[in-house]
Amino acid sequence: MAVQFIASPAELTAALRAATPGLTIHLRDGLYVGRFVAAASGNASAPITLAGSRAAVLSPGSLRSGYGLHVTGSYWKISGLSVSGAAKGIVLDGSTHTVISNVDVGGIGSEAVHFRRNSSDCILRNSQLHDTGLDRPGCGEGVYIGSAKSSWKTVMGSAEEPDRSDRVHILNNTIFRTAAEGVDAKEGTSDGLVRGNVFYDAGYSGSNSADSWVDIKGNRYSVEGNAGSVARRDAFQVHSVLDGWGMDNAFSNNTVLAGVPGFEVWVQSGGLRTVIARHESKAGLGLTNMP
């Protein structure tokens, strides 16, 4: 497979524009300032790879506008690099089967990584997401999956068309100092997995109800094997902001180490059919508000 070595923002822009299945774009260390769009698509047998070390840093140069990387193609592998000094870190729109691994996204105006506009069957793993919401605390999620109902018209073209960013896996990441939730899974999304992550001081701002590590508003999520310390209120929350959503989610083998004054798992209603594996919890109010 072809490898293209990149050393400047202009070279990166050109390489992304001309990318074909199987290409590896390797970033040399340095600061890349620009608006970078990965619009080409790979395929299952030949994804397109964008890789570099943590010293290869993507930035649009502003906390108030621009994405560090905008992925609109499918079958990408993004690894190793950093994103900083952006309104949003990495945004996926209509991207499927994309894997993001070992990246560092921090120093961000709003959210670090956003799976949006039906971006499905994607993975984010082994990465660090931190120091978000520096410009808009209420939008400073570590990981944002889908879109809120209030944004469906803008994002999907219809106020009645859900953003079905389904089957997104968030695995073995370290998520800390996020002004909004560490992971926010929106209504309209389903069948995601949040496993093996470590949270610290995620959801600290209280702005726009940000007060937990993880907020699940979608259906059939598995939240398992996560651990962390310091939350504004609860470690995990389940909400139903729209009829038929926030249903059938499951929590197991999660660990509160310290600094969570509320519940480990707070659930809006017993009618949401949330399943919580019973164990002793170090959360201030115990394992859950559910009987």
Tab-separated table of all heavy atoms in Angstrom, residues 230-283:
chain	number	residue	atom	x	y	z
A	230	VAL	N	-14.333	11.981	40.647
A	230	VAL	CA	-14.720	13.387	40.605
A	230	VAL	C	-15.785	13.647	39.534
A	230	VAL	O	-15.519	13.596	38.326
A	230	VAL	CB	-13.514	14.321	40.378
A	230	VAL	CG1	-13.969	15.789	40.474
A	230	VAL	CG2	-12.403	14.046	41.382
A	231	ALA	N	-16.981	13.882	39.999
A	231	ALA	CA	-18.088	14.276	39.134
A	231	ALA	C	-18.860	15.384	39.846
A	231	ALA	O	-18.857	15.462	41.076
A	231	ALA	CB	-19.019	13.103	38.853
A	232	ARG	N	-19.508	16.226	39.086
A	232	ARG	CA	-20.309	17.285	39.691
A	232	ARG	C	-21.501	16.701	40.453
A	232	ARG	O	-21.843	17.167	41.531
A	232	ARG	CB	-20.786	18.259	38.619
A	232	ARG	CG	-21.513	19.480	39.164
A	232	ARG	CD	-21.941	20.420	38.051
A	232	ARG	NE	-22.619	21.579	38.593
A	232	ARG	CZ	-22.019	22.715	38.937
A	232	ARG	NH1	-20.709	22.828	38.790
A	232	ARG	NH2	-22.721	23.735	39.408
A	233	ARG	N	-22.120	15.652	39.871
A	233	ARG	CA	-23.271	15.034	40.526
A	233	ARG	C	-23.167	13.516	40.473
A	233	ARG	O	-22.742	12.875	41.411
A	233	ARG	CB	-24.565	15.517	39.883
A	233	ARG	CG	-25.814	14.914	40.521
A	233	ARG	CD	-27.084	15.375	39.825
A	233	ARG	NE	-28.232	14.565	40.215
A	233	ARG	CZ	-29.420	14.639	39.644
A	233	ARG	NH1	-29.626	15.493	38.646
A	233	ARG	NH2	-30.403	13.876	40.044
A	234	ASP	N	-23.572	12.905	39.357
A	234	ASP	CA	-23.599	11.447	39.228
A	234	ASP	C	-22.503	10.977	38.272
A	234	ASP	O	-22.012	11.732	37.438
A	234	ASP	CB	-24.953	10.992	38.675
A	234	ASP	CG	-26.126	11.521	39.483
A	234	ASP	OD1	-26.132	11.319	40.709
A	234	ASP	OD2	-27.015	12.164	38.879
A	235	ALA	N	-22.167	9.697	38.376
A	235	ALA	CA	-21.233	9.128	37.401
A	235	ALA	C	-21.922	8.926	36.050
A	235	ALA	O	-21.432	9.371	35.008
A	235	ALA	CB	-20.661	7.815	37.921
A	236	PHE	N	-23.083	8.257	36.075
A	236	PHE	CA	-23.816	7.940	34.840
A	236	PHE	C	-25.273	8.365	35.009
A	236	PHE	O	-25.843	8.238	36.082
A	236	PHE	CB	-23.754	6.437	34.550
A	236	PHE	CG	-22.363	5.875	34.554
A	236	PHE	CD1	-21.851	5.252	35.692
A	236	PHE	CD2	-21.552	5.980	33.439
A	236	PHE	CE1	-20.563	4.745	35.716
A	236	PHE	CE2	-20.260	5.473	33.442
A	236	PHE	CZ	-19.761	4.858	34.583
A	237	GLN	N	-25.856	8.832	33.932
A	237	GLN	CA	-27.261	9.225	33.950
A	237	GLN	C	-27.972	8.678	32.722
A	237	GLN	O	-27.366	8.534	31.645
A	237	GLN	CB	-27.410	10.744	33.978
A	237	GLN	CG	-26.880	11.393	35.248
A	237	GLN	CD	-27.017	12.905	35.237
A	237	GLN	OE1	-27.340	13.516	34.219
A	237	GLN	NE2	-26.771	13.524	36.389
A	238	VAL	N	-29.262	8.388	32.888
A	238	VAL	CA	-30.120	7.976	31.781
A	238	VAL	C	-31.316	8.920	31.745
A	238	VAL	O	-32.025	9.070	32.746
A	238	VAL	CB	-30.618	6.523	31.949
A	238	VAL	CG1	-31.532	6.139	30.785
A	238	VAL	CG2	-29.439	5.558	32.047
A	239	HIS	N	-31.508	9.571	30.599
A	239	HIS	CA	-32.615	10.500	30.422
A	239	HIS	C	-33.471	10.079	29.233
A	239	HIS	O	-32.968	9.490	28.274
A	239	HIS	CB	-32.106	11.924	30.150
A	239	HIS	CG	-31.491	12.592	31.330
A	239	HIS	ND1	-30.143	12.488	31.612
A	239	HIS	CD2	-32.028	13.377	32.294
A	239	HIS	CE1	-29.882	13.188	32.706
A	239	HIS	NE2	-31.005	13.739	33.136
A	240	SER	N	-34.741	10.430	29.303
A	240	SER	CA	-35.627	10.317	28.147
A	240	SER	C	-36.138	11.712	27.828
A	240	SER	O	-37.005	12.235	28.530
A	240	SER	CB	-36.795	9.378	28.436
A	240	SER	OG	-37.642	9.293	27.301
A	241	VAL	N	-35.579	12.327	26.797
A	241	VAL	CA	-35.993	13.672	26.416
A	241	VAL	C	-36.999	13.634	25.270
A	241	VAL	O	-37.498	14.665	24.844
A	241	VAL	CB	-34.778	14.538	26.026
A	241	VAL	CG1	-33.820	14.667	27.202
A	241	VAL	CG2	-34.043	13.945	24.834
A	242	LEU	N	-37.280	12.404	24.788
A	242	LEU	CA	-38.210	12.212	23.687
A	242	LEU	C	-38.844	10.835	23.858
A	242	LEU	O	-38.150	9.864	24.164
A	242	LEU	CB	-37.456	12.293	22.348
A	242	LEU	CG	-38.270	12.374	21.065
A	242	LEU	CD1	-39.077	13.665	21.014
A	242	LEU	CD2	-37.342	12.306	19.850
A	243	ASP	N	-40.151	10.742	23.667
A	243	ASP	CA	-40.841	9.463	23.845
A	243	ASP	C	-40.194	8.358	23.009
A	243	ASP	O	-39.909	8.552	21.821
A	243	ASP	CB	-42.309	9.602	23.444
A	243	ASP	CG	-43.134	10.360	24.468
A	243	ASP	OD1	-42.617	10.583	25.578
A	243	ASP	OD2	-44.276	10.743	24.146
A	244	GLY	N	-39.959	7.216	23.644
A	244	GLY	CA	-39.375	6.074	22.956
A	244	GLY	C	-37.864	6.033	22.993
A	244	GLY	O	-37.267	5.068	22.495
A	245	TRP	N	-37.255	7.023	23.626
A	245	TRP	CA	-35.787	7.065	23.681
A	245	TRP	C	-35.310	7.075	25.133
A	245	TRP	O	-36.045	7.409	26.046
A	245	TRP	CB	-35.267	8.277	22.922
A	245	TRP	CG	-35.524	8.140	21.449
A	245	TRP	CD1	-36.531	8.742	20.734
A	245	TRP	CD2	-34.832	7.296	20.532
A	245	TRP	NE1	-36.484	8.333	19.421
A	245	TRP	CE2	-35.457	7.452	19.260
A	245	TRP	CE3	-33.737	6.433	20.652
A	245	TRP	CZ2	-35.021	6.754	18.137
A	245	TRP	CZ3	-33.305	5.749	19.519
A	245	TRP	CH2	-33.936	5.921	18.280
A	246	GLY	N	-34.063	6.655	25.322
A	246	GLY	CA	-33.535	6.430	26.665
A	246	GLY	C	-33.914	5.058	27.210
A	246	GLY	O	-33.878	4.833	28.419
A	247	MET	N	-34.188	4.109	26.304
A	247	MET	CA	-34.746	2.812	26.683
A	247	MET	C	-33.708	1.684	26.640
A	247	MET	O	-32.790	1.690	25.822
A	247	MET	CB	-35.884	2.443	25.730
A	247	MET	CG	-36.975	3.494	25.583
A	247	MET	SD	-37.998	3.633	27.042
A	247	MET	CE	-38.833	2.042	27.016
A	248	ASP	N	-33.882	0.716	27.544
A	248	ASP	CA	-33.187	-0.581	27.473
A	248	ASP	C	-31.667	-0.460	27.501
A	248	ASP	O	-30.960	-1.189	26.795
A	248	ASP	CB	-33.640	-1.346	26.217
A	248	ASP	CG	-35.135	-1.609	26.215
A	248	ASP	OD1	-35.641	-2.111	27.229
A	248	ASP	OD2	-35.792	-1.289	25.203
A	249	ASN	N	-31.160	0.427	28.315
A	249	ASN	CA	-29.716	0.567	28.470
A	249	ASN	C	-29.225	-0.261	29.661
A	249	ASN	O	-29.975	-0.508	30.614
A	249	ASN	CB	-29.367	2.046	28.660
A	249	ASN	CG	-29.760	2.862	27.443
A	249	ASN	OD1	-29.190	2.707	26.372
A	249	ASN	ND2	-30.746	3.736	27.595
A	250	ALA	N	-27.973	-0.713	29.595
A	250	ALA	CA	-27.445	-1.629	30.616
A	250	ALA	C	-26.108	-1.131	31.157
A	250	ALA	O	-25.249	-0.673	30.392
A	250	ALA	CB	-27.273	-3.022	30.027
A	251	PHE	N	-25.929	-1.251	32.475
A	251	PHE	CA	-24.716	-0.802	33.165
A	251	PHE	C	-24.171	-1.956	33.992
A	251	PHE	O	-24.902	-2.578	34.771
A	251	PHE	CB	-25.039	0.377	34.086
A	251	PHE	CG	-25.499	1.608	33.360
A	251	PHE	CD1	-26.806	1.707	32.912
A	251	PHE	CD2	-24.631	2.659	33.119
A	251	PHE	CE1	-27.251	2.837	32.237
A	251	PHE	CE2	-25.057	3.785	32.435
A	251	PHE	CZ	-26.373	3.879	31.995
A	252	SER	N	-22.865	-2.226	33.829
A	252	SER	CA	-22.269	-3.315	34.600
A	252	SER	C	-20.778	-3.092	34.803
A	252	SER	O	-20.092	-2.518	33.949
A	252	SER	CB	-22.489	-4.663	33.886
A	252	SER	OG	-21.852	-4.673	32.626
A	253	ASN	N	-20.297	-3.542	35.953
A	253	ASN	CA	-18.866	-3.581	36.263
A	253	ASN	C	-18.183	-2.217	36.162
A	253	ASN	O	-16.996	-2.125	35.829
A	253	ASN	CB	-18.139	-4.582	35.349
A	253	ASN	CG	-18.665	-5.984	35.516
A	253	ASN	OD1	-18.862	-6.462	36.632
A	253	ASN	ND2	-18.932	-6.658	34.403
A	254	ASN	N	-18.920	-1.150	36.438
A	254	ASN	CA	-18.318	0.176	36.501
A	254	ASN	C	-17.856	0.465	37.928
A	254	ASN	O	-18.382	-0.099	38.888
A	254	ASN	CB	-19.331	1.223	36.036
A	254	ASN	CG	-19.771	0.986	34.599
A	254	ASN	OD1	-18.969	1.071	33.675
A	254	ASN	ND2	-21.042	0.658	34.408
A	255	THR	N	-16.876	1.361	38.072
A	255	THR	CA	-16.273	1.612	39.377
A	255	THR	C	-16.143	3.103	39.638
A	255	THR	O	-15.531	3.824	38.850
A	255	THR	CB	-14.874	0.975	39.467
A	255	THR	OG1	-14.971	-0.428	39.215
A	255	THR	CG2	-14.260	1.206	40.838
A	256	VAL	N	-16.726	3.542	40.741
A	256	VAL	CA	-16.500	4.896	41.247
A	256	VAL	C	-15.376	4.825	42.277
A	256	VAL	O	-15.482	4.116	43.281
A	256	VAL	CB	-17.773	5.463	41.883
A	256	VAL	CG1	-17.463	6.768	42.607
A	256	VAL	CG2	-18.849	5.691	40.821
A	257	LEU	N	-14.305	5.560	42.020
A	257	LEU	CA	-13.177	5.534	42.946
A	257	LEU	C	-13.358	6.538	44.079
A	257	LEU	O	-13.091	6.236	45.238
A	257	LEU	CB	-11.881	5.813	42.182
A	257	LEU	CG	-11.547	4.787	41.091
A	257	LEU	CD1	-10.339	5.240	40.281
A	257	LEU	CD2	-11.299	3.412	41.693
A	258	ALA	N	-13.797	7.762	43.728
A	258	ALA	CA	-13.976	8.798	44.744
A	258	ALA	C	-14.592	10.027	44.092
A	258	ALA	O	-14.564	10.186	42.868
A	258	ALA	CB	-12.630	9.168	45.382
A	259	GLY	N	-15.154	10.907	44.927
A	259	GLY	CA	-15.530	12.228	44.458
A	259	GLY	C	-16.803	12.322	43.649
A	259	GLY	O	-16.971	13.279	42.887
A	260	VAL	N	-17.715	11.350	43.802
A	260	VAL	CA	-19.011	11.399	43.122
A	260	VAL	C	-20.086	11.585	44.198
A	260	VAL	O	-20.440	10.631	44.898
A	260	VAL	CB	-19.269	10.122	42.304
A	260	VAL	CG1	-20.667	10.146	41.698
A	260	VAL	CG2	-18.223	9.976	41.207
A	261	PRO	N	-20.630	12.786	44.361
A	261	PRO	CA	-21.560	13.034	45.464
A	261	PRO	C	-22.949	12.431	45.263
A	261	PRO	O	-23.665	12.195	46.239
A	261	PRO	CB	-21.643	14.562	45.500
A	261	PRO	CG	-21.331	15.000	44.105
A	261	PRO	CD	-20.325	14.014	43.605
A	262	GLY	N	-23.352	12.189	44.033
A	262	GLY	CA	-24.677	11.647	43.741
A	262	GLY	C	-24.669	10.140	43.632
A	262	GLY	O	-23.976	9.440	44.381
A	263	PHE	N	-25.414	9.624	42.672
A	263	PHE	CA	-25.509	8.184	42.441
A	263	PHE	C	-24.488	7.729	41.401
A	263	PHE	O	-24.037	8.507	40.556
A	263	PHE	CB	-26.904	7.818	41.938
A	263	PHE	CG	-27.992	8.015	42.955
A	263	PHE	CD1	-28.782	9.154	42.930
A	263	PHE	CD2	-28.221	7.064	43.936
A	263	PHE	CE1	-29.787	9.340	43.862
A	263	PHE	CE2	-29.223	7.238	44.888
A	263	PHE	CZ	-30.003	8.386	44.849
A	264	GLU	N	-24.162	6.448	41.459
A	264	GLU	CA	-23.357	5.895	40.368
A	264	GLU	C	-24.166	5.889	39.082
A	264	GLU	O	-23.658	6.305	38.017
A	264	GLU	CB	-22.891	4.485	40.706
A	264	GLU	CG	-22.001	3.877	39.635
A	264	GLU	CD	-21.350	2.584	40.065
A	264	GLU	OE1	-20.836	2.506	41.205
A	264	GLU	OE2	-21.351	1.652	39.252
A	265	VAL	N	-25.426	5.435	39.145
A	265	VAL	CA	-26.310	5.441	37.972
A	265	VAL	C	-27.644	6.081	38.374
A	265	VAL	O	-28.417	5.473	39.130
A	265	VAL	CB	-26.564	4.027	37.416
A	265	VAL	CG1	-27.398	4.111	36.135
A	265	VAL	CG2	-25.253	3.291	37.150
A	266	TRP	N	-27.884	7.272	37.868
A	266	TRP	CA	-29.178	7.933	38.089
A	266	TRP	C	-30.039	7.725	36.853
A	266	TRP	O	-29.587	7.934	35.725
A	266	TRP	CB	-28.979	9.422	38.328
A	266	TRP	CG	-30.268	10.168	38.541
A	266	TRP	CD1	-30.889	10.393	39.724
A	266	TRP	CD2	-31.081	10.777	37.533
A	266	TRP	NE1	-32.050	11.110	39.528
A	266	TRP	CE2	-32.197	11.361	38.187
A	266	TRP	CE3	-30.988	10.889	36.148
A	266	TRP	CZ2	-33.198	12.036	37.505
A	266	TRP	CZ3	-31.986	11.557	35.456
A	266	TRP	CH2	-33.076	12.133	36.134
A	267	VAL	N	-31.279	7.289	37.064
A	267	VAL	CA	-32.189	6.981	35.961
A	267	VAL	C	-33.450	7.826	36.116
A	267	VAL	O	-34.039	7.881	37.202
A	267	VAL	CB	-32.550	5.483	35.931
A	267	VAL	CG1	-33.407	5.164	34.720
A	267	VAL	CG2	-31.283	4.629	35.924
A	268	GLN	N	-33.866	8.440	35.046
A	268	GLN	CA	-35.012	9.346	35.105
A	268	GLN	C	-36.291	8.632	35.505
A	268	GLN	O	-37.107	9.172	36.255
A	268	GLN	CB	-35.195	10.026	33.745
A	268	GLN	CG	-36.355	11.008	33.685
A	268	GLN	CD	-36.422	11.714	32.358
A	268	GLN	OE1	-35.417	11.986	31.729
A	268	GLN	NE2	-37.641	12.006	31.919
A	269	SER	N	-36.478	7.405	35.013
A	269	SER	CA	-37.734	6.703	35.275
A	269	SER	C	-37.532	5.201	35.198
A	269	SER	O	-36.791	4.697	34.342
A	269	SER	CB	-38.783	7.123	34.232
A	269	SER	OG	-39.878	6.243	34.233
A	270	GLY	N	-38.231	4.483	36.064
A	270	GLY	CA	-38.189	3.027	36.010
A	270	GLY	C	-38.767	2.479	34.728
A	270	GLY	O	-38.438	1.363	34.310
A	271	GLY	N	-39.629	3.244	34.075
A	271	GLY	CA	-40.234	2.807	32.825
A	271	GLY	C	-39.270	2.737	31.656
A	271	GLY	O	-39.632	2.246	30.581
A	272	LEU	N	-38.031	3.214	31.858
A	272	LEU	CA	-37.041	3.164	30.775
A	272	LEU	C	-36.368	1.791	30.671
A	272	LEU	O	-35.565	1.570	29.767
A	272	LEU	CB	-35.982	4.250	30.989
A	272	LEU	CG	-36.521	5.679	30.970
A	272	LEU	CD1	-35.394	6.681	31.212
A	272	LEU	CD2	-37.217	5.986	29.643
A	273	ARG	N	-36.681	0.915	31.595
A	273	ARG	CA	-36.179	-0.475	31.556
A	273	ARG	C	-34.646	-0.543	31.575
A	273	ARG	O	-34.027	-1.343	30.883
A	273	ARG	CB	-36.731	-1.230	30.334
A	273	ARG	CG	-38.254	-1.305	30.275
A	273	ARG	CD	-38.725	-2.359	29.289
A	273	ARG	NE	-38.285	-2.108	27.937
A	273	ARG	CZ	-39.020	-1.528	26.997
A	273	ARG	NH1	-40.250	-1.116	27.268
A	273	ARG	NH2	-38.547	-1.356	25.776
A	274	THR	N	-34.057	0.296	32.381
A	274	THR	CA	-32.604	0.273	32.554
A	274	THR	C	-32.205	-0.931	33.402
A	274	THR	O	-32.848	-1.225	34.410
A	274	THR	CB	-32.131	1.560	33.246
A	274	THR	OG1	-32.620	2.689	32.517
A	274	THR	CG2	-30.615	1.625	33.318
A	275	VAL	N	-31.139	-1.614	33.001
A	275	VAL	CA	-30.618	-2.756	33.750
A	275	VAL	C	-29.296	-2.360	34.389
A	275	VAL	O	-28.374	-1.903	33.703
A	275	VAL	CB	-30.420	-3.977	32.832
A	275	VAL	CG1	-29.790	-5.132	33.614
A	275	VAL	CG2	-31.744	-4.404	32.218
A	276	ILE	N	-29.203	-2.539	35.711
A	276	ILE	CA	-28.000	-2.165	36.446
A	276	ILE	C	-27.536	-3.374	37.246
A	276	ILE	O	-28.277	-3.889	38.101
A	276	ILE	CB	-28.274	-0.991	37.401
A	276	ILE	CG1	-28.830	0.212	36.621
A	276	ILE	CG2	-27.007	-0.596	38.164
A	276	ILE	CD1	-29.426	1.284	37.506
A	277	ALA	N	-26.334	-3.848	36.978
A	277	ALA	CA	-25.791	-4.977	37.733
A	277	ALA	C	-25.492	-4.535	39.163
A	277	ALA	O	-24.816	-3.529	39.397
A	277	ALA	CB	-24.529	-5.497	37.054
A	278	ARG	N	-26.002	-5.299	40.126
A	278	ARG	CA	-25.886	-4.902	41.527
A	278	ARG	C	-24.451	-5.085	42.033
A	278	ARG	O	-23.817	-6.118	41.809
A	278	ARG	CB	-26.836	-5.736	42.379
A	278	ARG	CG	-26.897	-5.297	43.842
A	278	ARG	CD	-27.805	-6.227	44.631
A	278	ARG	NE	-29.157	-6.208	44.103
A	278	ARG	CZ	-30.079	-5.312	44.419
A	278	ARG	NH1	-29.774	-4.321	45.238
A	278	ARG	NH2	-31.297	-5.392	43.928
A	279	HIS	N	-23.932	-4.062	42.723
A	279	HIS	CA	-22.650	-4.165	43.421
A	279	HIS	C	-22.541	-3.008	44.406
A	279	HIS	O	-23.308	-2.052	44.343
A	279	HIS	CB	-21.472	-4.149	42.434
A	279	HIS	CG	-21.296	-2.838	41.720
A	279	HIS	ND1	-22.000	-2.503	40.590
A	279	HIS	CD2	-20.506	-1.770	41.988
A	279	HIS	CE1	-21.647	-1.292	40.177
A	279	HIS	NE2	-20.747	-0.826	41.011
A	280	GLU	N	-21.591	-3.095	45.306
A	280	GLU	CA	-21.343	-1.995	46.228
A	280	GLU	C	-20.703	-0.840	45.465
A	280	GLU	O	-19.831	-1.039	44.620
A	280	GLU	CB	-20.413	-2.445	47.353
A	280	GLU	CG	-21.019	-3.481	48.277
A	280	GLU	CD	-22.214	-2.937	49.043
A	280	GLU	OE1	-22.177	-1.749	49.421
A	280	GLU	OE2	-23.182	-3.698	49.252
A	281	SER	N	-21.159	0.372	45.758
A	281	SER	CA	-20.642	1.544	45.043
A	281	SER	C	-20.131	2.582	46.035
A	281	SER	O	-20.706	2.784	47.110
A	281	SER	CB	-21.745	2.162	44.171
A	281	SER	OG	-21.282	3.352	43.565
A	282	LYS	N	-19.057	3.266	45.651
A	282	LYS	CA	-18.498	4.338	46.477
A	282	LYS	C	-19.100	5.697	46.143
A	282	LYS	O	-18.639	6.716	46.673
A	282	LYS	CB	-16.975	4.378	46.317
A	282	LYS	CG	-16.257	3.184	46.921
A	282	LYS	CD	-14.755	3.350	46.825
A	282	LYS	CE	-14.037	2.152	47.460
A	282	LYS	NZ	-12.558	2.292	47.358
A	283	ALA	N	-20.103	5.746	45.265
A	283	ALA	CA	-20.797	7.008	45.028
A	283	ALA	C	-21.484	7.463	46.314
A	283	ALA	O	-21.938	6.644	47.116
A	283	ALA	CB	-21.817	6.844	43.908
